[in-house]
Amino acid sequence: MFKRSVTFETRDDMDLPAQAAVWGRLHEFGDMAWLPWQGKVIYRKDNRVPVSTKGHGLNDYLGYRSNPTLALITDRATEERLEEDNSDIARCLAARVPSALFELQGYGFTNDGSFFTGWPVIGFQNRIQASGTCISSPEDGLLSTCTWDPRIRSPFFYSSSFSIALSKAPSFIAEMQKLRDLKPCAFCGLDATLGVLLRYVKASSAYLGKSEDSIDFDFTYYRSYTQGEPRANSDVVDELEQLALCKYGAVPHWGKNRNFAFDGVIAKYPKAAEFLKVKARYDPDGIFSSEWSDQVLGAKGSSNMAEKSCGIEGICICSDDSHCAPEKGYFCHPGKVFTDARVCSTRRTFGDDLLKEQ
């Protein structure tokens, strides 16, 4: 039982590559949320302090609270309308709202469990680390509910995550900024979900642990309820993921990724052979294995499946137009910054884009 002192501070993202290299060592529980389109970073200064420090703060994260059901349905309907209209201007205007609202409400923190009066918020570890009261909210006949309640058509999104060695992360961020600068509005979809979360992960001696201190990048973005439906500016996120995985040797989060991210992933773990030996010894009959785990661990088959529209769904990296959605104007093209990437895009060439925007 110890106390923590938390302060959120928003800055320009010009020096983000340099800050990312040191922030995790400056603040024990520090992280950052990057809003690439707005060119801002929300830095979290979070450190343990003496138990005698005054404060009884609480972290009740806004996204994990119960909300009026009608508001959740309306939010999703608005997202779908923005996607159908395919207007980057409207999408970017809407993207400013979530971060502004979260900032006004102290990101869900309160100084005394009831009211937010300003930074820093100081409280015991269990009240600062844990968050979200939705699970304990009362049943009220679905007048209010959790965002993830499957009984309603609420906001629906995809979350993908991967870790890059701390020594390589600044270069990856710089390339991400380069892609952002080519067409900033393509990043509004990330800003709308409170940006890219950067968390620090220590190296581990575990067989499938991180072999180096790393930064975990969390991307959250809109997803259609309809399978195989393209999403606006999907090529940007796809290029970033391939840049991280293929050029910077990122390892995917085991539970937050699409199929293509796991293709050949086991080779990225130096102690994978030792893990597979232990797995075979404790589960010789494969009771705890599945077709999926066999594919991911390289035991049998591949998680990468080349079929129609597989590039749209992320179950392959496209190598043919049929892997995208040519009937809807999406074709397989190289990335703009990482040209080894192959992404489903409506843009024939980037030069054409520049001419249109001018």
Side-chain angles (χ1 to χ4, degrees):
M1 294 296 289
F2 58 90
K3 279 189 170 182
R4 284 162 59 177
S5 174
V6 182
T7 297
F8 281 74
E9 183 178 300
T10 302
R11 304 182 192 173
D12 185 274
D13 73 353
M14 292 288 289
D15 63 343
L16 178 58
Q19 288 291 344
V22 300
W23 192 258
R25 294 194 174 100
L26 295 175
H27 304 283
E28 184 177 1
F29 303 98
D31 60 29
M32 53 193 73
W34 180 19
L35 305 169
W37 171 66
Q38 297 177 60
K40 297 178 180 179
V41 183
I42 304 168
Y43 289 93
R44 176 175 176 148
K45 297 179 179 177
D46 191 342
N47 300 285
R48 67 178 71 202
V49 293
V51 174
S52 59
T53 308
K54 290 184 178 180
H56 196 54
L58 177 68
N59 176 14
D60 186 8
Y61 184 65
L62 298 173
Y64 300 155
R65 295 181 185 179
S66 182
N67 287 279
T69 301
L70 181 59
L72 294 174
I73 294 173
T74 301
D75 285 348
R76 175 61 190 191
T78 301
E79 289 178 333
E80 291 176 339
R81 180 61 182 271
L82 289 172
E83 194 75 8
E84 290 169 5
D85 291 347
N86 198 24
S87 169
D88 282 336
I89 295 176
R91 191 179 293 108
C92 289
L93 288 173
R96 290 186 180 275
V97 176
S99 58
L101 288 177
F102 269 62
E103 184 176 8
L104 284 172
Q105 299 178 76
Y107 301 95
F109 282 86
T110 54
N111 298 80
D112 59 1
S114 300
F115 301 100
F116 174 72
T117 57
W119 306 111
V121 170
I122 299 170
F124 279 105
Q125 153 75 357
N126 63 303
R127 290 170 61 85
I128 298 298
Q129 181 63 31
S131 65
T133 54
C134 196
I135 194 67
S136 58
S137 60
E139 287 287 348
D140 58 7
L142 268 186
L143 292 175
S144 63
T145 189
C146 304
T147 304
W148 52 86
D149 194 321
R151 294 173 294 177
I152 65 170
R153 194 178 178 88
S154 60
F156 189 52
F157 52 84
Y158 200 95
S159 180
S160 62
S161 179
F162 48 80
S163 296
I164 297 178
L166 185 58
S167 59
K168 300 177 181 178
S171 296
F172 169 73
I173 294 171
E175 290 210 63
M176 188 170 168
Q177 289 176 321
K178 183 178 178 181
L179 182 59
R180 184 273 312 273
D181 293 343
L182 290 175
K183 191 174 183 183
C185 61
F187 285 76
C188 291
L190 294 175
D191 278 36
T193 55
L194 297 178
V196 181
L197 178 62
L198 280 67
R199 299 180 294 117
Y200 291 87
V201 184
K202 288 291 292 180
S204 170
S205 60
Y207 290 155
L208 296 185
K210 306 293 187 296
S211 57
E212 299 181 53
D213 289 351
S214 303
I215 295 182
D216 192 82
F217 293 80
D218 282 6
F219 290 7
T220 304
Y221 45 84
Y222 171 93
R223 182 175 182 176
S224 173
Y225 275 100
T226 304
Q227 184 175 350
E229 183 68 23
R231 68 183 190 280
N233 298 309
S234 61
D235 55 318
V236 170
V237 173
D238 290 352
E239 181 175 346
L240 290 173
E241 290 179 341
Q242 291 179 44
L243 173 67
L245 294 163
C246 301
K247 182 174 180 179
Y248 288 96
V251 292
H253 187 295
W254 292 107
K256 295 166 67 177
N257 269 292
R258 298 174 292 169
N259 289 44
F260 81 86
F262 296 105
D263 192 32
V265 65
I266 197 66
K268 295 182 178 182
Y269 291 90
K271 297 181 180 179
E274 287 90 336
F275 168 78
L276 293 173
K277 287 179 183 177
V278 172
K279 177 182 178 299
R281 187 165 75 246
Y282 281 95
D283 185 24
D285 297 322
I287 293 174
F288 294 98
S289 294
S290 67
E291 181 182 3
W292 170 248
S293 67
D294 286 343
Q295 291 171 348
V296 169
L297 297 175
K300 185 187 301 181
S302 171
S303 61
N304 198 10
M305 295 177 284
E307 57 187 44
K308 189 179 187 302
S309 300
C310 60
I312 296 293
E313 284 296 320
I315 60 176
C316 78
I317 293 176
C318 72
S319 58
D320 185 84
D321 287 342
S322 66
H323 296 159
C324 298
E327 71 281 0
K328 297 180 180 179
Y330 285 78
F331 302 88
C332 187
H333 293 298
K336 298 180 178 69
V337 171
F338 181 50
T339 54
D340 286 347
R342 291 297 179 269
V343 297
C344 295
S345 171
T346 58
R347 304 161 186 75
R348 283 296 184 180
T349 67
F350 189 59
D352 291 343
D353 274 351
L354 292 177
L355 290 173
K356 290 177 183 178
E357 290 180 6
Q358 290 173 356

